[in-house]
């Protein structure tokens, strides 16, 4: 076994085809909007496209009911958040790899299933010959706790290795079907705290909710750390959509605009 730290990596983000956007805007008379646009942040631009499509607010006069058009994107997206126009944010999906996170975390993570996708390392196929484990700082400072915990984990790890040898999983010509069957049985003797890797994708509407709820002071400690990292990544990635959060001394991410 070895000690690990939870890690979050942002591996994917929205990407716009500006030629196709331009072709559409040419049809509806909104090409001037695109000419003013800063093309450095596709995610924020996509949110603005979604919102302006709803009201045909590319330019004054395209919709007789719209007499004033915001030209500043930050102000436009702030109004989206303030007016709870959350459906616009569902178009923006970001992709993450969570590594060295426990199954305690992923069991809670899947409860946020609306607007998400998840692919997690399967212990039905991946054999455990090592038990990576995360300990919070307060636990590491408890000598007796750590001694007993490490001893228990080493025993469980040793049992995993014994089972693999006992079942002859590395013998020649063992069918993959049998390996899968036995490996699936072996995972039942792994602790819920053993760490894993998952690819997690979520749209911005969901991200705003999950960051708030899973960094709240009553949330589980590891989950608070992980989604605090997600919040930091998103605030840098899309400041106009996540810049309204304030982080408390306790690490909770509290938005100015809730339930978008």
């Amino acid at each position: 076994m070895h000690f690990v730290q939870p890690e979050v990596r942002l591996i994917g983000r929205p990407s716009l085809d500006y030629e196709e956007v331009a072709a559409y805007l040419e049809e509806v008379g909104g090409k001037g909007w695109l000419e003013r646009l800063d093309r450095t942040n596709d995610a924020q631009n996509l949110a603005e496209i979604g919102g302006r499509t709803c009201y045909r607010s590319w330019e004054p006069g395209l919709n007789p009911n719209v007499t004033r058009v915001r030209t500043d994107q930050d102000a436009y997206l702030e109004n989206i958040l303030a007016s709870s126009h959350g459906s616009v944010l569902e178009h923006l999906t970001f992709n993450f790899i969570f590594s060295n996170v426990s199954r305690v975390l992923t069991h809670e993570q899947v409860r946020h299933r609306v607007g998400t996708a998840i692919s997690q390392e399967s212990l039905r196929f991946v054999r455990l010959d090592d038990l990576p484990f995360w300990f919070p700082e307060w636990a590491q400072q408890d000598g007796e706790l750590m001694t007993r915990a490490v001893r228990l984990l080493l025993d469980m790890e040793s049992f995993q290795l014994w089972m693999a040898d006992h079942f002859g999983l590395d013998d020649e010509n063992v069918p993959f079907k049998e390996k899968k069957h036995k490996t699936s049985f072996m995972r039942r003797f792994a602790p819920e705290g053993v760490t894993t890797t998952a690819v997690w994708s979520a749209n911005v509407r969901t991200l705003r909710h999950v960051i708030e709820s899973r960094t709240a002071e009553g949330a589980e400690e590891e989950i608070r750390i992980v989604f605090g990292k997600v919040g930091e990544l998103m605030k840098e990635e899309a400041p106009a959509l996540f810049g309204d959060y304030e982080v408390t001394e306790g690490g909770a991410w509290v938005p100015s605009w809730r339930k978008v």
Side-chain angles (χ1 to χ4, degrees), residues 3-6 100 132-137 193 195 220-222 225:
F3 299 160
V4 296
Q5 289 294 326
N100 298 329
F133 213 86
W134 173 76
F135 286 93
E137 290 186 10
T195 60
E220 204 274 342
E221 185 172 0
E222 180 194 9
I225 292 171

Side-chain angles (χ1 to χ4, degrees), residues 67-256:
T67 58
R68 182 172 65 91
V69 172
R70 291 180 177 84
T71 58
D72 179 77
Q73 185 176 81
D74 288 352
Y76 182 86
L77 294 179
E78 182 180 13
N79 185 62
I80 290 289
L81 298 176
S83 60
S84 299
H85 195 174
S87 63
V88 168
L89 307 182
E90 293 179 11
H91 297 293
L92 289 60
T93 295
F94 289 85
N95 316 106
F96 304 85
I97 285 184
F98 291 180
S99 57
N100 298 329
V101 297
S102 73
R103 289 174 178 265
V104 173
L105 182 145
T106 58
H107 289 344
E108 294 207 23
Q109 183 185 18
V110 295
R111 296 175 184 174
H112 300 286
R113 55 195 175 276
V114 176
T116 71
I118 187 166
S119 299
Q120 182 175 331
E121 182 181 84
S122 173
L123 295 187
R124 188 183 182 200
F125 299 96
V126 179
R127 194 193 315 168
L128 285 170
D129 54 10
D130 178 41
L131 298 184
F133 213 86
W134 173 76
F135 286 93
E137 290 186 10
W138 62 264
Q140 295 180 45
Q141 295 168 5
D142 187 328
E144 183 177 0
L145 171 66
M146 291 301 295
T147 297
R148 291 174 176 268
V150 170
R151 183 188 306 141
L152 177 61
L153 289 169
L154 288 174
D155 283 346
M156 298 177 80
E157 183 177 286
S158 177
F159 185 53
Q160 291 287 329
L161 296 173
W162 178 86
M163 283 191 289
D165 182 66
H166 180 69
F167 297 142
L169 296 186
D170 292 323
D171 293 349
E172 291 186 14
N173 301 321
V174 178
F176 184 72
K177 180 179 179 180
E178 181 178 346
K179 290 184 177 182
K180 182 175 66 174
H181 177 68
K182 296 294 175 56
T183 300
S184 181
F185 171 78
M186 291 163 62
R187 65 178 167 172
R188 296 175 181 271
F189 299 92
E192 193 171 24
V194 69
T195 60
T196 186
T197 298
V199 175
W200 187 68
S201 301
N203 67 51
V204 166
R205 192 178 200 177
T206 294
L207 279 168
R208 286 184 57 89
H209 166 68
V210 177
I211 289 169
E212 178 187 5
S213 62
R214 291 303 183 177
T215 60
E217 293 187 10
E220 204 274 342
E221 185 172 0
E222 180 194 9
I223 297 174
R224 296 190 70 204
I225 292 171
V226 166
F227 282 99
K229 292 176 182 286
V230 172
E232 291 169 1
L233 286 169
M234 293 312 305
K235 192 169 186 177
E236 181 177 352
E237 186 75 16
L241 298 173
F242 292 87
D244 61 306
Y245 284 84
E246 289 190 13
V247 183
T248 68
E249 289 187 5
W253 283 63
V254 182
S256 298

